Amino acid sequence: MYDKEQLKKIAEVFEHWQQQTENDMKKFPERKQRFLSSSGYEFKRCYTPLDVAELDYLKDLGMPGDYPYTRGVQRTMYRGRLWTMRQYAGFGTAEETNKRFKYLLQQGQTGLSVAFDLPTQIGYDSDHPLAEGEVGRVGVAVDSLRDIEILFDGIPLKDVSTSMTINSTAVILLSMYAVTAQKQGAKIEELRGTIQNDILKEYIARGTYIFPPEPSMKIVTDIFEFCAQHMPKWNTISISGYHIREAGASAVQELAFTFGDAIAYVEAAIKAGLDPNVFGRQLSFFFAAHNNFLEEIAKFRAARRIWAKIMKERFNVTNQDAMRLRFHTQTGGSTLTAQQPLNNIVRVAIQALAAVLGGTQSLHTNSFDEALGLPTEQSVQVALRTQQIIAYESGVADIVDPLAGSFAVEALTNEIEEKVWEYLEKIDALGGMVRAIELGYVQKEIHKSAYEQQLAIEKGEQIVVGVNAFQTKEEKPVENILKVDPALEEKQKESLKQLREQRDNRAVASALKELKQAAQEGKNIVPYVFEAVKCYATLGEISDVLREVYGEYTESTSI
Ligand SMILES: CC(C)(COP(=O)(O)OP(=O)(O)OC[C@H]1O[C@@H](n2cnc3c(N)ncnc32)[C@H](O)[C@@H]1OP(=O)(O)O)[C@@H](O)C(=O)NCCC(=O)NCCSC(=O)CCC(=O)O
């Protein structure tokens, strides 16, 4: 962006300035020998045009809404429409969570996001022995279509977009959601929302898998195919770096492993005969926003450029809509501290601001008490207000990609991109992401990074306010921590018992038999799951059928 003559002059001035700075530092040294990013690369003292001398505005940045989308996926970005304010919520029974959803919508939230309990996530009904003590604990308990009908009672599904954090049982929850919407009078082709459906990261970082990778990938591609035909507005997957980051990955690893997974999904779908120009439009992403403000902004900008290049150059995609990286952001749960929990409000605000300056499409802001328990109405309100203050008071939503052209931000964007490509080459050399996961390579890289971060905190090289510095002797305990009533588990089991008595059990048996046959014959299972769900077959029953056909996965541990 600068001509050679100008750059030469700037280089001379810079050299002189460096010498003067070295002199100054004899009297007043810098706080640290090296200032490191979360990914371990070194931040320079000061960035100048010399650091972005190679940057080609048209090729590397372009205008917002144009390839390679570094500056955002929409021309007007938040001037046209603010990001979706989407607080992840769910606990106890469907009735309870329905109340929370209505509360959040009333407070100005603009999208829904469902948290399911662990039994729902790993395909067990609430009365299964393995579900004991977990029903409704970390999310809402869902056993059958009836629970989803209650969950969205009074919420018109044709008007709201809903995200569901569900992976190995995603096909079941997607079917329950679609059938509930149909019962409300909506057409499934108009439904907007997202299922997480990102099974690969479950093997890497999150753990709620059921089946081995191969049949799991088959279910994912079945969903891509079904939604491309019948639910074109639905995001079929939310390819997630969030959990990878929360497991201890650096910002660079977060992107690299997410794109490693994304490439594996695209390859699997192409192999199944699907067109990336079509299913590519429905792929979405999910990243974390941590505290290192500028690095995080650069990460989001780099992510868009990398994905656009992957789709265009690696998969020869020509449809622009299939090159746009659209993503949800959640502020970093692992950055919250149990000590001095009100400080978390500030952390969340910084992280949310990074997500917005990085061009997110949807945002969850964590509640300050999340290191202690489930968020209360009050804490979730502050979290939502944080988004609203950024949106309506800070002014940052009024200019598209306002940090473009910052020497530091552009240089960091380039640096992150470069390091991500290095990882992707390494993953390709290992034989792709599924192989890299099987080999334990990805897990080991994350563990190494997590260990280094922890060590830095313990040595005091990385300050965490209130934890290893600025501690207070006497902390006032947080009041009103939300606890799920243990009686809810019995209530849920009782209503499941009634359901099994009331439904047409012959219809259930027949639908499950047909599903089993379809799975055995390698057919697309989605329509069969729809049928099973319609007659109130339970999540556990459907999962059991699939377990019989596909088998179960057991992890080999990496130390
Ligand atoms: C694509 C996203 C990221 C966002 O979708 P949204 O519908 O919210 O937003 P959107 O698509 O950007 O915008 C909605 C519509 O407005 C349009 N639009 C937006 N801005 C525009 C502008 N400036 N000009 C013109 N049109 C515009 C879009 O093109 C789109 O229309 P068209 O569609 O017509 O183009 C989706 O996947 C999503 O909502 N994800 C949320 C995932 C989530 O909440 N996950 C929680 C995980 S919680 C978790 O996992 C952590 C804890 C755990 O482990 O359990």
Side-chain angles (χ1 to χ4, degrees):
M1 289 194 279
Y2 292 83
D3 67 37
K4 283 208 174 103
E5 267 314 296
Q6 265 177 317
L7 285 170
K8 218 172 121 200
K9 275 188 207 147
I10 294 169
E12 283 163 19
V13 172
F14 182 70
E15 194 47 44
H16 181 63
W17 178 81
Q18 285 279 59
Q19 284 164 11
Q20 287 176 315
T21 311
E22 296 292 331
N23 275 339
D24 288 0
M25 281 165 49
K26 284 182 195 138
K27 277 190 252 153
F28 204 99
E30 289 183 334
R31 285 185 291 114
K32 294 184 199 175
Q33 285 280 322
R34 298 167 76 212
F35 290 79
L36 297 178
S37 77
S38 89
S39 304
Y41 61 84
E42 198 167 342
F43 287 143
K44 291 190 177 177
R45 179 172 298 137
C46 174
Y47 289 81
T48 69
L50 299 170
D51 297 296
V52 290
E54 303 295 315
L55 197 75
D56 177 334
Y57 182 84
L58 296 176
K59 192 165 123 304
D60 300 322
L61 299 183
M63 294 306 290
D66 289 346
Y67 185 88
Y69 307 104
T70 314
R71 304 202 59 191
V73 291
Q74 303 285 354
R75 301 230 148 83
T76 60
M77 283 301 289
Y78 310 133
R79 288 167 66 102
R81 180 185 181 278
L82 288 166
W83 63 92
T84 308
M85 300 182 190
R86 197 186 287 286
Q87 298 298 94
Y88 182 55
F91 58 93
T93 61
E95 281 95 348
E96 224 107 354
T97 302
N98 175 269
K99 274 188 220 143
R100 176 60 67 93
F101 283 172
K102 286 179 177 159
Y103 172 78
L104 285 165
L105 290 169
Q106 195 195 8
Q107 295 298 316
Q109 168 168 282
T110 51
L112 293 174
S113 173
V114 191
F116 296 99
D117 71 359
L118 280 175
T120 307
Q121 294 190 47
I122 51 174
Y124 293 118
D125 286 336
S126 300
D127 58 357
H128 191 284
L130 287 176
E132 203 183 319
E134 280 298 337
V135 177
R137 190 61 74 83
V138 298
V140 60
V142 172
D143 292 318
S144 76
L145 177 64
R146 182 169 294 175
D147 294 315
I148 292 292
E149 288 166 354
I150 298 168
L151 186 64
F152 295 105
D153 183 47
I155 302 172
L157 297 186
K158 72 171 176 35
D159 300 330
V160 70
S161 86
T162 304
S163 163
M164 293 189 280
T165 296
I166 197 73
N167 295 280
S168 54
T169 52
V171 63
I172 307 173
L173 272 304
L174 173 70
S175 305
M176 289 179 180
Y177 186 87
V179 172
T180 302
Q182 281 173 329
K183 287 189 158 194
Q184 285 185 356
K187 295 196 181 82
I188 64 167
E189 50 271 32
E190 62 192 359
L191 296 181
R192 312 182 71 95
T194 305
I195 37 173
Q196 197 159 79
N197 196 25
D198 172 14
I199 199 66
L200 290 177
K201 65 93 178 53
E202 296 294 328
Y203 302 112
I204 303 172
R206 192 166 175 273
T208 70
Y209 46 74
I210 305 177
F211 318 111
E214 212 181 298
S216 293
M217 292 297 269
K218 159 79 170 60
I219 304 176
V220 171
T221 50
D222 280 359
I223 294 174
F224 287 3
E225 185 181 41
F226 178 88
C227 290
Q229 287 168 10
H230 304 287
M231 298 176 74
K233 295 185 173 175
W234 194 267
N235 299 296
T236 52
I237 193 166
S238 177
I239 309 166
S240 306
Y242 181 83
H243 309 90
I244 293 172
R245 186 71 181 278
E246 286 290 286
S250 68
V252 165
Q253 289 174 336
E254 179 189 357
L255 289 196
F257 299 145
T258 307
F259 290 134
D261 286 346
I263 289 169
Y265 291 121
V266 174
E267 282 173 349
I270 292 173
K271 211 167 143 204
L274 308 183
D275 179 359
N277 284 296
V278 180
F279 73 80
R281 291 170 37 247
Q282 289 172 278
L283 306 176
S284 70
F285 288 83
F286 170 27
F287 296 115
H290 277 214
N291 286 326
N292 203 313
F293 190 64
L294 297 174
E295 185 185 32
E296 292 298 294
I297 296 167
K299 177 187 81 179
F300 297 125
R301 300 176 81 251
R304 275 190 296 273
R305 189 154 74 205
I306 296 167
W307 183 240
K309 287 185 188 169
I310 289 174
M311 288 303 264
K312 189 173 177 181
E313 292 166 15
R314 184 173 181 137
F315 294 115
N316 302 316
V317 159
T318 50
N319 180 354
Q320 299 273 326
D321 287 344
M323 299 177 200
R324 286 177 221 268
L325 177 136
R326 298 162 307 120
F327 67 100
H328 171 74
T329 307
Q330 178 165 336
T331 54
S334 64
T335 69
L336 303 184
T337 62
Q339 296 89 338
Q340 303 175 35
L342 289 179
N343 297 346
N344 293 328
I345 297 175
V346 182
R347 293 190 178 99
V348 167
I350 293 170
Q351 296 166 6
L353 189 59
V356 169
L357 289 168
T360 196
Q361 275 54 65
S362 167
L363 178 61
H364 166 102
T365 32
N366 286 59
S367 298
F368 68 85
D369 50 1
E370 276 180 44
L372 302 161
L374 288 171
T376 60
E377 275 195 1
Q378 189 217 0
S379 68
V380 87
Q381 191 190 59
V382 175
L384 179 59
R385 295 289 178 259
T386 307
Q387 295 201 35
Q388 290 159 337
I389 291 167
I390 294 173
Y392 299 105
E393 296 185 19
S394 76
V396 297
D398 301 347
I399 301 172
V400 180
D401 190 29
L403 296 187
S406 145
F407 309 124
V409 170
E410 296 300 357
L412 295 178
T413 305
N414 289 345
E415 179 126 21
I416 290 176
E417 180 181 357
E418 211 172 289
K419 294 202 155 36
V420 171
W421 288 124
E422 281 168 22
Y423 260 118
L424 289 175
E425 273 168 32
K426 173 95 202 195
I427 292 164
D428 277 340
L430 289 173
M433 195 62 176
V434 177
R435 188 76 193 115
I437 296 168
E438 281 167 0
L439 289 170
Y441 166 74
V442 177
Q443 297 89 319
K444 273 187 214 138
E445 285 291 296
I446 298 172
H447 292 172
K448 204 166 95 196
S449 159
Y451 175 74
E452 282 163 7
Q453 283 175 41
Q454 188 56 33
L455 206 64
I457 293 171
E458 279 166 24
K459 285 186 184 163
E461 290 165 2
Q462 169 79 42
I463 300 280
V464 183
V465 172
V467 175
N468 64 0
F470 314 109
Q471 299 97 324
T472 39
K473 283 212 177 69
E474 273 172 38
E475 292 213 21
K476 228 175 110 205
V478 174
E479 286 162 9
N480 304 325
I481 293 174
L482 185 86
K483 290 257 164 16
V484 177
D485 178 1
L488 290 179
E489 182 158 334
E490 283 313 309
K491 200 176 148 209
Q492 182 69 16
K493 280 182 172 163
E494 185 49 39
S495 65
L496 178 58
K497 191 164 159 257
Q498 279 176 16
L499 176 101
R500 291 196 218 270
E501 286 162 9
Q502 288 163 356
R503 67 183 183 179
D504 179 350
N505 280 307
R506 279 180 41 194
V508 171
S510 148
L512 291 176
K513 198 169 149 219
E514 285 187 23
L515 170 64
K516 187 170 178 183
Q517 204 174 338
Q520 280 165 337
E521 290 170 5
K523 287 188 184 157
N524 188 321
I525 63 166
V526 182
Y528 297 90
V529 178
F530 260 67
E531 290 311 311
V533 156
K534 271 186 200 160
C535 53
Y536 296 88
T538 66
L539 173 121
E541 291 162 348
I542 297 171
S543 302
D544 279 346
V545 164
L546 298 177
R547 277 188 190 98
E548 276 176 49
V549 181
Y550 295 144
E552 290 185 69
Y553 179 75
T554 38
E555 189 187 25
S556 56
T557 14
S558 110
I559 298 164

